[in-house]
Amino acid sequence: MTTLEHLIVALSLAKKAKRKDIKGNPFVGAIVVDENGSIIGSGYHQKWGEKHAEVFAIEEALQSGNSLSNCTLYVTLEPCSHFGKTPPCTDLIIAAGIKKVVVGSLDPNPNVSGFTLLQQKGIEVSLLEIPEATILNKIFFTNQKSNKPFVRLKMAATLDGKIADYTGASKWITNDSSRAYLHAHIRTAVDAVISTAKTVIQDQATLNIRISNTPSTELNAVIIDRNGAMLEPAQASHPIFYNRVATKVFVVTAPGAMDKGVQLPAHTEIIETPFAANGEIDLDTFGKQLLQKGMYSVLIEAGAVFSSYVLSKKWVNELDYFIGSKLLLDANAKAGLDIATNTALQNAVPLTLLESMFFENDMYLHYAIEAL
């Protein structure tokens, strides 16, 4: 097998992990190959806070009782060199006597310098970047590089780009099949849904996961609510405050907007974040706060104003765009985006199509907006 083929084997192991089990950590696979080209150890990172892929692979290889000095370690991500929940993998690699390591992608975590450290210890280290390894860890890479969650923005509009008619009615722009896909394949892939108080109140939204013939599944809800409208007595029976067990409603207000002694609904927490005088939230601070709360991947489902704001600030990584098979032909309908500035065509935001599907007559377009 070639070097690339060995890394592809390691990558196939990395994909075995379930995101819910390693959330916050990357997908990593590793194999140990002896001088005859045989794989004598393999493993992948299976659970947050527990053994890394390299540990599984090396421990299995050592069970043979042979020296690993003529073996090569293939790993999809640069080995860690710092103490976290587990000891540095570089220490184990050095102690095992491995003399060659091939890495499929570099770790964006500034605390990781495994590549350099191993070289300093006389170990031959080479990098053969595999795009798939980077794509697999797009959430982790965004968390580390940008200090914010991986952000997806969902939009649903008619073919003429409208998200509501002149009365504000928006149910339903898309068909049942489109909405079913949203719940089963997009909301289930994120740690929280972000919306605004205006949208949540107007739509009486629950922002949970609803799949046909299956009980509704709870999901963290993050509501941008500068003045705390969601916590007013009139909203006490809002359906978003349903009975939760493992999730919360996070109400994001300006500092000091709410009385510290206010009685909050069960499983509700206030996050205080700076807002500008014009009402725009400080996205840098907000992103860090979401990571601190364990929300590494989020989906925005909001109105035209907030959607436009996060797009203009280049805060969105991917766009999930559903086109309902309708023409509204309404002069006063609400457009999907509310942009107040002019932009020349040469400055348009380029998109990369990741996938497209038809749901009966509706179309779904999944785009990447920002390169990793």
Side-chain angles (χ1 to χ4, degrees):
M1 294 175 69
T2 65
T3 297
L4 177 58
E5 287 171 334
H6 281 128
L7 280 174
I8 290 173
V9 171
L11 183 63
S12 69
L13 291 169
K15 292 178 179 178
K16 289 185 176 182
K18 294 180 173 61
R19 183 177 171 269
K20 65 181 180 62
D21 294 330
I22 64 168
K23 192 170 68 172
N25 280 359
F27 292 87
V28 186
I31 59 173
V32 176
V33 178
D34 67 15
E35 62 269 35
N36 299 315
S38 299
I39 298 173
I40 61 171
S42 63
Y44 64 97
H45 180 46
Q46 301 176 19
K47 194 172 183 63
W48 182 87
E50 296 186 5
K51 290 180 183 179
H52 289 186
E54 300 96 314
V55 178
F56 282 111
I58 292 172
E59 286 182 346
E60 184 178 304
L62 287 171
Q63 289 176 4
S64 66
N66 296 321
S67 167
L68 303 188
S69 60
N70 292 319
C71 295
T72 300
L73 172 71
Y74 295 86
V75 59
T76 58
L77 184 69
E78 179 182 7
C80 65
S81 56
H82 65 291
F83 279 90
K85 294 291 181 182
T86 60
C89 289
T90 49
D91 286 2
L92 179 60
I93 294 168
I94 294 165
I98 291 173
K99 296 302 182 184
K100 184 176 181 180
V101 176
V102 180
V103 175
S105 60
L106 295 178
D107 195 320
N109 186 336
N111 293 321
V112 173
S113 57
F115 196 102
T116 302
L117 178 62
L118 292 174
Q119 285 181 323
Q120 291 172 345
K121 295 296 182 178
I123 296 173
E124 179 186 345
V125 188
S126 61
L127 172 66
L128 178 58
E129 289 189 289
I130 306 177
E132 271 193 86
T134 303
I135 293 169
L136 182 63
N137 281 318
K138 62 185 181 181
I139 294 173
F140 177 75
F141 274 52
T142 297
N143 298 162
Q144 295 294 325
K145 288 182 176 181
S146 303
N147 209 4
K148 72 174 187 67
F150 186 87
V151 179
R152 298 173 70 165
L153 172 66
K154 173 256 178 178
M155 294 178 61
T158 60
L159 190 58
D160 47 345
K162 308 302 181 183
I163 60 172
D165 68 15
Y166 68 98
T167 69
S170 60
K171 295 183 178 178
W172 294 104
I173 295 290
T174 55
N175 62 32
D176 290 345
S177 298
S178 293
R179 297 195 300 277
Y181 185 84
L182 167 69
H183 284 263
H185 297 279
I186 301 178
R187 284 192 181 180
T188 54
V190 299
D191 302 320
V193 176
I194 299 176
S195 193
T196 63
K198 179 179 179 181
T199 296
V200 170
I201 292 171
Q202 179 176 308
D203 294 349
Q204 290 294 287
T206 56
L207 303 182
N208 60 0
I209 299 169
R210 301 183 298 279
I211 299 173
S212 180
N213 300 319
T214 303
S216 296
T217 303
E218 59 184 278
L219 182 60
N220 288 311
V222 180
I223 305 173
I224 311 300
D225 188 12
R226 182 184 183 189
N227 298 313
M230 284 301 307
L231 299 175
E232 293 176 358
Q235 304 304 326
S237 60
H238 193 288
I240 204 164
F241 298 118
Y242 58 79
N243 185 34
R244 296 169 184 264
V245 176
T247 63
K248 287 185 177 182
V249 175
F250 295 93
V251 181
V252 185
T253 70
M258 300 300 301
D259 182 347
K260 297 295 183 184
V262 66
Q263 183 67 36
L264 298 176
H267 304 287
T268 299
E269 180 179 334
I270 294 174
I271 297 177
E272 292 189 336
T273 301
F275 284 74
N278 63 359
E280 294 178 346
I281 189 170
D282 180 340
L283 292 174
D284 287 341
T285 300
F286 181 48
K288 294 172 186 175
Q289 291 171 321
L290 292 175
L291 288 184
Q292 289 167 0
K293 299 294 182 182
M295 287 175 272
Y296 304 101
S297 176
V298 298
L299 175 68
I300 296 175
E301 295 189 42
V305 174
F306 188 70
S307 295
S308 300
Y309 174 61
V310 292
L311 284 169
S312 68
K313 294 298 182 181
K314 300 180 180 178
W315 207 63
V316 179
N317 299 95
E318 292 181 0
L319 175 64
D320 296 282
Y321 196 3
F322 291 86
I323 303 175
S325 48
K326 297 177 176 70
L327 286 170
L328 195 50
L329 303 177
D330 176 2
N332 294 306
K334 184 177 292 186
L337 295 174
D338 186 353
I339 303 292
T341 57
N342 296 323
T343 301
L345 183 58
Q346 61 265 31
N347 296 325
V349 177
L351 304 176
T352 299
L353 184 64
L354 302 177
E355 60 181 331
S356 61
M357 301 182 198
F358 282 101
F359 298 107
E360 299 169 19
N361 290 320
D362 287 0
M363 177 176 278
Y364 165 62
L365 301 170
H366 183 195
Y367 289 105
I369 299 177
E370 183 178 315
L372 288 170

